[in-house]
Amino acid sequence: MTLHAAALLLLALVAAVSAQVTPTPGCNTCAAHLQGKCDNVSGSCECTIFIGADKKKIDCKKLISKCLLMRREMLAFKSGSQRRVRPDTAVVDNDGIYYADCDDNGAFKARQCNETESCWCVNSAGARRTDKGDKAEWKCSELVRTFWIQIELKQNGTAKLTLPSLKEAVTKTISKRYGLKENYVADIEYEDPYIRIDLVQNRSQKTSDDVDITEVAYYMEKDIKGETLFPASENKFEIPINGAPLSIENVKIFYMDEKPPEFSMKHLTPGLIAVIVVVVLAIVAGIVVLVFTRRRKTRKYQKAEVKEMGEMQSQLTSS
C-alpha cells in the first residue's frame, strides 16, 4: 500500500469515527424528555432513553409513550433514585402506580400484573378496566382503545374567565406544547372554578404521525403537578389568559373506552359494599313506610265510609 493510499484510508477512518460521536446542532437535546439523549450516528439523528438498565430508541419529535414513561418512573422509584409522588387520583389498591408491561412499540400490553401473581386488563391509557384475578388463569383478549379523555382542571383564584378566550388559549397551548392537532380538542366547558377539556380521537381519525391523546393527558398532568417531563430549554407550562397565566389548583383525568369496563360486584371494597347495602335498605324502608301509610289511610277511609252509611241507614229507618 502506497503512502498516499494509507493517508486517504486514515482520513476516512477518522471521518467515520467523528460522524458517530460528534453531535450536530439540534441533535444533542431530546425535546420530548429531559432525560433523553440524541446523537448523530452515521449522518442521522438517533435518540435514546434509559428504561432502567435498558437503552430504548425513541422519537424525540413527538411525545414518548405513556407505558414506557410509567415503566421508567416505577423503576426509578424502586431503585430509590427518584421520589414517587402519589397522584391525587390514585386509589387504595395502587391502581395507576404500577410496573407497566409494554410491547415493542411502547404500547401497554392488554394484561398487566405489576410483577405479582394478580393480573388485570387495561385500556390503551394503562387504566384498569376489569377485576383482578390469578395470573395463571387471567386472560385479556385485546387492548381496548381509549378514544375520549376528559381533563378536569380546578382554577385557583377568583379571575372571571370568558369561554371564547378560554377555549382559544387552552386549544392553542395543547396544540403547541404537545403537538396535538387542534381538531382533537373536541370541547371545553367552564363552570367556575372547573374547566373540563374533552380530547376525542377516534380510531378512524388517528394517523401514524399523530400524537396519542393518552400521552398528551399524561404529559399535561405532569406539567400541572410541577413534574414536567420536558427539558429545561422548553418554556414553563402556562395557559395565558388576557396576558396572565391561568392559575390551576388541581387536575383529574377521566378515561372513556371504545368498550364499557368489565367490573363485577364481588371485587368491590367492603366500604363500597356497605354504602350500597345502606342505600338499598333505605330505599326498602322508604317503600315499606309508604305502603304502610297508604294502608292506614285506606282503612280510615273505609271506616269513615261505613260509619256514614250506618248513619244514613238510621235516618232512613227513623223517617
Side-chain angles (χ1 to χ4, degrees), residues 26-318:
C27 189
N28 58 350
T29 301
C30 176
H33 200 283
L34 70 169
Q35 296 295 333
K37 184 181 179 182
C38 299
D39 294 299
N40 183 23
V41 180
S42 301
S44 63
C45 189
E46 291 189 2
C47 302
T48 56
I49 190 171
F50 277 100
I51 311 293
D54 298 329
K55 197 174 185 180
K56 183 77 175 177
K57 283 188 177 183
I58 54 174
D59 182 2
C60 283
K61 295 179 181 178
K62 61 181 184 179
L63 305 184
I64 302 169
S65 77
K66 180 182 176 181
C67 187
L68 290 178
L69 293 176
M70 278 183 57
R71 186 179 180 87
R72 182 183 186 280
E73 191 171 359
M74 196 63 186
L75 281 169
F77 173 62
K78 290 173 68 176
S79 67
S81 62
Q82 180 177 337
R83 179 176 178 270
R84 174 71 179 184
V85 180
R86 187 180 70 190
D88 295 339
T89 52
V91 294
V92 176
D93 66 350
N94 220 30
D95 281 359
I97 313 173
Y98 63 88
Y99 184 72
D101 196 8
C102 316
D103 66 16
D104 294 337
N105 296 319
F108 286 97
K109 289 186 177 180
R111 191 182 78 159
Q112 298 290 330
C113 303
N114 196 26
E115 295 189 313
T116 68
E117 294 304 310
S118 180
C119 299
W120 61 94
C121 304
V122 301
N123 57 20
S124 60
R128 182 162 69 94
R129 49 174 282 107
T130 67
D131 298 322
K132 294 182 178 182
D134 184 76
K135 186 175 185 177
E137 301 177 356
W138 201 260
K139 306 296 182 182
C140 303
S141 59
E142 62 175 327
L143 180 68
V144 178
R145 188 171 180 277
T146 299
F147 76 99
W148 173 19
I149 295 179
Q150 186 172 90
I151 304 173
E152 183 182 88
L153 309 178
K154 185 178 181 182
Q155 180 190 0
N156 181 17
T158 58
K160 296 300 180 182
L161 308 175
T162 61
L163 189 57
S165 60
L166 180 65
K167 281 187 174 182
E168 181 180 5
V170 170
T171 302
K172 290 189 178 300
T173 297
I174 291 176
S175 177
K176 182 178 180 181
R177 187 169 181 83
Y178 307 113
L180 184 70
K181 292 178 181 177
E182 292 188 7
N183 62 295
Y184 291 138
V185 184
D187 192 22
I188 297 173
E189 297 178 351
Y190 176 52
E191 186 177 352
D192 190 24
Y194 295 101
I195 301 167
R196 296 179 181 88
I197 306 166
D198 287 336
L199 305 181
V200 178
Q201 191 176 57
N202 293 314
R203 187 187 298 270
S204 59
Q205 292 177 294
K206 189 177 183 297
T207 67
S208 58
D209 294 328
D210 287 339
V211 63
D212 197 277
I213 58 173
T214 60
E215 295 155 6
V216 173
Y218 190 69
Y219 269 77
M220 188 171 179
E221 182 180 13
K222 290 290 186 181
D223 272 340
I224 293 172
K225 291 183 176 180
E227 305 169 14
T228 185
L229 300 173
F230 290 114
S233 58
E234 290 292 315
N235 294 328
K236 182 182 177 181
F237 172 78
E238 288 183 347
I239 301 176
I241 303 289
N242 300 324
L246 179 66
S247 180
I248 301 170
E249 177 182 307
N250 193 22
V251 57
K252 290 183 180 179
I253 312 292
F254 302 90
Y255 305 98
M256 279 65 71
D257 302 337
E258 291 180 342
K259 294 183 178 181
E262 301 171 4
F263 292 104
S264 64
M265 291 289 289
K266 65 179 180 179
H267 289 279
L268 293 177
T269 62
L272 185 55
I273 293 175
V275 171
I276 293 174
V277 170
V278 169
V279 172
V280 171
L281 289 176
I283 293 173
V284 171
I287 293 173
V288 170
V289 170
L290 181 62
V291 171
F292 182 72
T293 303
R294 286 187 174 180
R295 283 184 177 179
R296 289 188 62 183
K297 287 182 177 179
T298 303
R299 286 175 181 174
K300 286 182 178 180
Y301 175 76
Q302 289 175 344
K303 289 180 179 179
E305 189 178 40
V306 170
K307 183 179 179 181
E308 289 177 359
M309 290 183 68
E311 291 176 351
M312 292 175 63
Q313 184 69 31
S314 299
Q315 291 177 0
L316 289 172
T317 303
S318 60

